[in-house]
């Protein structure tokens, strides 16, 4: 884990409070609580375009980074969970028609053009939408919101066709993601479960429970697969303090990171069917910690690191890529 400080720079000022964020290619996009959207080019961030996209809170904004759009370079969205349900953004990026995916509390997912933010496609749902993820091969989309339904779509260009409605757990879902091969997708839910499906059968492969359990501290807010290389990891964060790293080759090995006390647990705890042992160690009186809300989670594009966003800082954990390539039994991070 890297504990050093790095310099920052201000890209520009906004006249609204951003609650979701995405970056891809040359674009950076921010979403607001009153349907505001601001887009700027990283090469010229001082002249953003700001519009009202319609609806309510923009829970998520993201760029489409599917391989059909850009085969050699893939960024992941950096949307963070916001307590009041602001939707996410997703940028779909190709050389001729980059696209932005906007999830909103008004029960919609909107596909918008960049940089002019014109509406291209609008999908309507029976519930407020928290997150949408397009598969890396650009052929599928998974959508989740304030119910336990998971909506699956075929995607061709700017057109979407609903193919299934699945059930994740017993509560609302906040995040979803695809593995790099586009055959698995995972959904993180409020009641502390992460469910993984195989798209080929649409059957549940495994259902994982968060380290702290339940819908309070243990609610799953973010879920991400490693985006490249033979790393084969699934990371998911809890509402406070903990991040879980799962080996997706078997889904049997897990490592838990305590983000609120990284110096006490610098490398997390490897858990091979030893959850109770890990609980006993972390909850011991000698390891006093303060609960911190986790605001976001993402892997580096080359899967060499995992970044965990806290309210006032970002933690960087280095992935043991050599160990992953050699199928080592050592720690993941």
């Amino acid at each position: 884990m890297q504990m050093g400080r790095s310099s920052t720079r201000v890209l520009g000022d906004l006249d609204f409070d951003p609650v979701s964020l995405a970056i891809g290619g040359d674009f950076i996009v921010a979403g607001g609580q009153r349907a505001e959207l601001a887009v700027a080019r990283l090469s010229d961030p001082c002249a953003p375009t700001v519009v009202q996209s319609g609806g309510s809170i923009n829970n998520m904004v993201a760029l489409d980074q599917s391989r059909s759009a850009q085969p050699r370079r893939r960024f992941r969205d950096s949307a963070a969970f916001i307590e009041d349900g602001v939707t996410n953004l997703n940028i779909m990026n190709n050389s001729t028609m980059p696209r932005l995916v906007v999830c909103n509390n008004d029960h919609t997912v909107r596909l918008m053009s960049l940089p002019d933010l014109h509406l291209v496609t609008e999908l309507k749902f029976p519930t407020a939408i928290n997150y949408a993820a397009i598969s890396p091969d650009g052929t599928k989309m998974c959508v989740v919101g304030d119910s336990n339904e998971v909506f699956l779509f075929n995607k061709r260009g700017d057109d979407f066709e609903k193919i299934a409605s699945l059930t994740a757990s017993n509560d609302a879902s906040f995040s979803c993601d695809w593995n790099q091969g586009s055959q698995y997708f995972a959904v993180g839910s409020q009641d502390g479960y992460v469910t993984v499906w195989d798209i080929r059968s649409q059957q549940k492969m495994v259902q994982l429970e968060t380290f702290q359990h339940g819908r309070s501290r243990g609610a799953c807010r973010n879920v991400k697969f490693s985006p490249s290389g033979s790393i084969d990891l699934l990371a998911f964060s809890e509402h406070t303090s903990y991040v879980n790293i799962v080996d997706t080759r078997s889904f049997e090995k897990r490592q838990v990171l305590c983000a609120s006390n990284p110096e006490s647990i610098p490398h997390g705890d490897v858990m091979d069917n030893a959850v109770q042992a890990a609980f006993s160690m972390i909850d011991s009186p000698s390891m006093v910690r303060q609960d911190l809300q986790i605001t976001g989670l993402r892997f580096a594009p080359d899967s060499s690191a995992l970044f965990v966003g806290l309210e006032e800082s970002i933690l960087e954990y280095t992935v043991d890529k050599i160990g992953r390539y050699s199928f080592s039994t050592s720690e993941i991070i």
Side-chain angles (χ1 to χ4, degrees):
M1 181 182 65
Q2 307 297 321
M3 296 295 290
R5 295 180 180 272
S6 60
S7 61
T8 60
R9 64 188 179 100
V10 177
L11 293 179
D13 295 320
L14 297 173
D15 58 4
F16 64 89
D17 293 327
V19 291
S20 50
L21 182 70
I23 186 171
D26 191 37
F27 292 104
I28 182 169
V29 184
Q33 294 191 36
R34 294 177 175 83
E36 304 97 336
L37 285 175
V39 58
R41 292 186 179 274
L42 292 173
S43 56
D44 183 23
C46 297
T49 298
V50 181
V51 301
Q52 295 289 128
S53 61
S56 178
I57 304 170
N58 283 324
N59 289 322
M60 173 223 156
V61 292
L63 295 98
D64 178 13
Q65 300 298 130
S66 59
R67 284 196 295 267
S68 61
Q70 204 170 44
R72 291 187 177 274
R73 187 179 184 186
R74 183 168 179 252
F75 290 84
R76 299 300 301 171
D77 68 87
S78 55
F81 172 81
I82 305 299
E83 190 66 40
D84 56 13
V86 178
T87 310
N88 81 33
L89 304 170
N90 202 320
I91 299 174
M92 299 169 21
N93 197 17
N94 65 31
S95 59
T96 58
M97 51 178 184
R99 295 291 188 248
L100 176 72
V101 180
V102 182
C103 300
N104 195 277
N105 260 15
D106 69 350
H107 300 197
T108 67
V109 172
R110 294 183 176 91
L111 189 67
M112 307 184 77
S113 61
L114 287 172
D116 52 18
L117 295 175
H118 289 164
L119 180 64
V120 176
T121 301
E122 181 178 89
L123 303 174
K124 296 185 178 180
F125 296 85
T127 187
I129 299 301
N130 295 320
Y131 212 95
I134 293 174
S135 60
D137 65 5
T139 65
K140 300 288 190 293
M141 181 171 72
C142 176
V143 179
V144 297
D146 284 354
S147 73
N148 63 352
E149 286 187 278
V150 179
F151 305 96
L152 282 181
F153 290 82
N154 280 329
K155 176 182 177 294
R156 177 175 292 181
D158 295 335
D159 297 322
F160 297 85
E161 175 193 12
K162 185 178 177 181
I163 57 174
S165 179
L166 308 174
T167 300
S169 60
N170 294 318
D171 213 332
S173 298
F174 291 118
S175 184
C176 56
D177 196 34
W178 297 82
N179 77 325
Q180 61 175 309
S182 300
Q183 72 267 38
Y184 304 148
F185 61 97
V187 171
S189 301
Q190 169 77 15
D191 52 3
Y193 287 97
V194 174
T195 309
V196 182
W197 285 265
D198 188 323
I199 186 62
R200 295 165 293 190
S201 65
Q202 296 183 16
Q203 298 296 313
K204 291 181 180 179
M205 294 177 57
V206 65
Q207 190 166 64
L208 307 166
E209 193 171 6
T210 55
F211 183 66
Q212 298 177 98
H213 309 294
R215 68 192 315 274
S216 179
R217 290 183 174 90
C220 180
R221 301 307 194 195
N222 301 273
V223 56
K224 295 291 181 185
F225 283 97
S226 53
S228 60
S230 300
I231 305 301
D232 305 324
L233 297 177
L234 173 66
F236 55 93
S237 66
E238 306 183 16
H239 181 58
T240 61
S241 303
Y242 290 101
V243 175
N244 300 258
I245 317 294
V246 177
D247 184 339
T248 61
R249 294 166 186 164
S250 65
F251 291 98
E252 294 179 354
K253 180 178 179 181
R254 181 190 307 200
Q255 183 173 349
V256 177
L257 308 175
C258 182
S260 64
N261 197 0
E263 293 184 355
S264 295
I265 311 177
H267 301 292
D269 304 289
V270 173
M271 291 163 40
D272 284 306
N273 300 317
V275 176
Q276 292 300 325
F279 263 117
S280 298
M281 184 176 71
I282 291 180
D283 289 340
S284 65
S286 62
M287 304 185 72
V288 178
R289 61 174 176 79
Q290 176 185 2
D291 279 339
L292 295 177
Q293 290 192 16
I294 297 176
T295 61
L297 178 76
R298 62 165 288 176
F299 282 94
D302 64 356
S303 301
S304 63
L306 176 69
F307 299 94
V308 178
L310 305 178
E311 293 174 281
E312 297 182 352
S313 63
I314 297 175
L315 302 179
E316 178 184 357
Y317 295 89
T318 301
V319 175
D320 180 10
K321 294 183 70 174
I322 294 177
R324 297 302 295 159
Y325 290 147
S326 63
F327 290 80
S328 169
T329 59
S330 63
E331 294 178 340
I332 297 168
I333 298 291

